[in-house]
Amino acid sequence: MEDGVPLHPRLILGIESSCDETSAAVLAEGRTVLSNIVASQLVHADYGGVVPELASREHLRNIVPVVREAMRAAGVEDYRHLSAVAVTEGPGLAGALLVGISFAKALAFAADLPLIAVNHLEGHIQAVLLEAELRFADVSPLLAAVVSGGHSHLYLATRDEKGLWTYRNVGRTVDDAAGEAYDKVAKLLGLPYPGGPWMDALAAHGNPEAVPFRFAQIKHKVRRTETPGTASPASDVPVAPLTDAPRFDLSFSGIKTAVRRYTELHGMRDRVAEREAALRAASLATAKPSDPVALNRALQLLDAQALDLIASFQHAVTGHLTRTILAAAAHFGARAIAVSGGVAANRELRAKLGAAAGKLDLPLAFPSLSLSTDNAAMIAAAAWPKLLNGRFAGDALEASPSLRLG
Ligand code: KG4
Ligand code: ZN
């Protein structure tokens, strides 16, 4: 059974609705993804960010067809053939979470199934292990980084003898999340939302050393953080709260300000409105940079100076992430590193961490691109050890918009 799926595998239906993706997935024996349906909400593209009210409305519209499609694609004919329903409890948008939780509760009640509550951040971490053949391997303690539009956290994850994971937060952003910084800088340059994938694709066409963004590093016995900027004096540095344990905190708002300052100093602001209009006219606001035609069009609208700025930003941000993750892994004697969240899709981050971890002989895992962003397979994966250990949620389960992990 360790090596394959048994004749009557235990199936978990996972449901995720914490932000702007409505997703449902069916997982067999905690390891085989039978289906993973994701409906992304395009309505937010015009607003440069997720609009909570619109997100809830879209989730309401999508939840039933998405769950039905996940069941159909997995070949599961009856909800009673499932072993449990798992749902994201938080963190996320209250109204968005509520749609998934209400649906999961009703389904669990109607089909007489146990309900499992999953922390979205744990889901991101378990998505990595799910694919990396590390799921049941001896990787504890694991250094897990969750870097997305809403979060930038480092956790030390430990698995007990029952297979249950516990998490300790050993670092977080002191200001913006990494993906948020990507999105804000992209917006500053007139690129579509979400900007991360665009910046990543465009960075390859610029000079990463053109603008020397620096992350000043402070080492302190009880606190450790880096803060970015083109030249920040030590007194400007935001510090993590005092704790007894060393911290491996991140900071992204300084570099965002430095980019803004750079665009102002170099007269790049005027071209932004022009570029935004041109991108809209070329219908690129909803296009993806993975579409070569769309990417080419965007490249034509950016000059060398903008491309150099994008490449330099990406170079600095991925360097900051790589150094901090490696320092935390070394400090805690981690046996592997897992990186997840939307920013884990970043090519330069993957290459830099890959090269560094390779030198240290440290297993490093990223989810595939489809499991990097929000999805329900990760929720079902995180629910598996909870199912085995009877960790079920009661009828009183509610959305926890600010739920923390560790
Ligand atoms: O995990 P996710 O789908 O949603 C949450 O925020 O929970 O992450 C989305 C974030 C966005 O900020 C997006 O711009 C960023 O991840 N992102 C990237 C890349 N792909 C997505 N950032 C940098 N490089 C990428 N390739
Ligand atoms: Zn997420």
Side-chain angles (χ1 to χ4, degrees), residues 198 278-279 281-282 284 292-302:
W198 283 99
L279 285 166
L284 291 191
V293 178
L295 181 61
N296 240 327
R297 187 77 192 94
L299 275 168
Q300 285 163 13
L301 293 169
L302 290 156

Side-chain angles (χ1 to χ4, degrees), residues 21 120 124 148-150 179-180 182-183 194-197 200 341-343 345-346 372-374:
E21 259 102 25
H120 180 84
H124 273 304
S148 70
E180 188 183 358
Y182 262 101
D183 295 340
D200 190 13
V343 182
N346 189 273
S372 289
T373 46
D374 290 352

Side-chain angles (χ1 to χ4, degrees), residues 145-154 171-187 193-197 199-200 215 228 249-256 259 313-314 316-322 324-325 339-346 349:
V146 183
V147 273
S148 70
H151 310 279
S152 297
H153 288 292
L154 302 190
R172 61 165 57 89
T173 177
V174 297
D175 39 57
D176 290 352
E180 188 183 358
Y182 262 101
D183 295 340
K184 285 180 178 168
V185 166
K187 193 171 180 201
Y193 173 85
M199 299 278 290
D200 190 13
F215 282 78
D249 289 327
L250 298 150
S251 166
F252 297 101
S253 87
I255 193 164
K256 178 193 66 192
V259 169
F313 169 83
Q314 164 134 309
V317 167
T318 54
H320 178 47
L321 280 166
T322 302
T324 312
I325 291 170
V339 188
S340 56
V343 182
N346 189 273
L349 181 64

